[in-house]
Amino acid sequence: MTIHQFEAASYDQLTHGDRIKLPQMYAGTLTGWWWPILTITRVDWIRHDHTALMLRLAQPMPGGDRFVLVAGRATVEAGVRRVVTQTITHPTSAHAAV
């Protein structure tokens, strides 16, 4: 069985192929995490002070865009949730009967 868990990650830690959820903010406060899970190809910083960046995506968003703009110090500092996959093996019923 495969279980997807999430770990906190900063934008500086992301690499090609990472699957992430973006922060959901309201008035500068983290309120949750957006769906869907996005697969990124690259992080492009567009401000030298790391308060704005563009995530390039492996697949287009529903509107057709292949990028997401992330702006604002609080949003950038919130980071993302990165998918971590765990495979768990359970004994089969034949083994369990022994």
Side-chain angles (χ1 to χ4, degrees):
M1 173 185 347
T2 301
I3 298 175
H4 296 292
Q5 296 181 341
F6 297 91
E7 68 181 5
S10 71
Y11 292 98
D12 288 335
Q13 296 172 319
L14 300 179
T15 60
H16 176 84
D18 278 343
R19 297 172 57 212
I20 62 168
K21 291 194 298 183
L22 294 174
Q24 183 177 15
M25 307 293 285
Y26 180 77
T29 302
L30 178 66
T31 59
W33 300 95
W34 289 107
W35 289 91
I37 295 172
L38 305 174
T39 303
I40 64 164
T41 59
R42 192 167 79 209
V43 176
D44 293 328
W45 290 100
I46 56 177
R47 287 193 45 108
H48 70 282
D49 61 358
H50 284 205
T51 58
L53 61 107
M54 186 182 317
L55 296 175
R56 299 195 186 267
L57 306 176
Q59 67 273 33
M61 297 286 282
D65 292 332
R66 293 184 75 96
F67 63 89
V68 173
L69 178 66
V70 178
R73 184 172 303 281
T75 305
V76 172
E77 288 175 355
V80 296
R81 290 295 179 254
R82 181 171 37 197
V83 174
V84 178
T85 303
Q86 262 185 348
T87 303
I88 300 172
T89 340
H90 291 286
T92 62
S93 56
H95 291 107
V98 175

